[in-house]
Amino acid sequence: MRRNIRTALTSMAMLAAAGTGVASAPAHAAADQYCAVIVGKERDADGFSKVLSEQCSTVSVQDAHQKSKAAGGAAMRADTLLLQEYEHANYDTAIYNFYGASGPCDSEGYSLRNYVTVAGRVSSMRGYNNCTQAMLGDPAGNYVFHSLPTAYVGDLMNDNVLTVKIWRG
């Protein structure tokens, strides 16, 4: 457990040092309310889990997921739900889902980032498929640990979750 926390802190510190990690939303996300992202274990240039496919929808996160799988092709059929973010406390109104093309969380986990438009809406979240721990980061460089699920991310992170490191604890 101590190694996992040290690894998570090191990862998040590297991300903070590399810049804000702010991702701009795809043009279609501005009008769409729900999004789904499929990520792999491989890291991008900023140290985040590489985005393999992402789509948004005005209908639901499930519709966004189906679009994301279709856009990703055959490799996206085996994705695994990792994290679901909600707009309100107590898991009210799912707005953003992360799926792992490389399977469930392990001790290394996944490093995720929200679009600014999503970061300003997250109030609660649930982890799935062994994703039991999370370290949330805001744009100012503050970090908070949570066990998943968490019905409320706390006053500091409410509507301010820019980065999320998830792993099996």
Side-chain angles (χ1 to χ4, degrees):
M1 178 67 175
R2 176 173 265 147
R3 185 179 76 70
N4 291 342
I5 292 172
R6 186 173 52 244
T7 301
L9 286 171
T10 301
S11 296
M12 295 303 272
M14 288 187 322
L15 297 176
T20 62
V22 175
S24 57
H28 63 276
D32 296 335
Q33 189 171 354
Y34 310 102
C35 297
V37 177
I38 300 172
V39 296
K41 281 288 196 173
E42 191 177 318
R43 305 293 181 174
D44 66 15
D46 294 324
F48 290 96
S49 297
K50 188 173 181 179
V51 173
L52 304 175
S53 181
E54 59 190 330
Q55 295 292 316
C56 296
S57 167
T58 57
V59 178
S60 67
V61 289
Q62 293 80 11
D63 183 54
H65 179 224
Q66 291 307 314
K67 289 179 178 181
S68 194
K69 286 174 68 166
M76 298 304 118
R77 290 195 174 90
D79 61 319
T80 303
L81 180 59
L82 303 172
L83 182 72
Q84 188 165 52
E85 296 177 316
Y86 297 83
E87 186 167 16
H88 306 292
N90 299 312
Y91 321 111
D92 182 12
T93 313
I95 55 171
Y96 210 69
N97 284 0
F98 287 95
Y99 297 85
S102 301
C105 278
D106 54 18
S107 61
E108 179 186 331
Y110 293 84
S111 291
L112 313 169
R113 74 177 138 201
N114 284 320
Y115 294 114
V116 174
T117 55
V118 173
R121 296 171 57 205
V122 176
S123 295
S124 60
M125 58 183 60
R126 290 182 199 255
Y128 295 90
N129 294 297
N130 299 328
C131 299
T132 60
Q133 302 296 311
M135 184 170 57
L136 314 180
D138 71 7
N142 298 304
Y143 300 101
V144 175
F145 287 93
H146 280 282
S147 292
L148 295 175
T150 183
Y152 181 60
V153 296
D155 291 344
L156 179 64
M157 292 294 158
N158 186 47
D159 297 337
N160 206 23
V161 179
L162 185 61
T163 61
V164 183
K165 168 76 176 167
I166 54 175
W167 69 96
R168 180 185 70 223

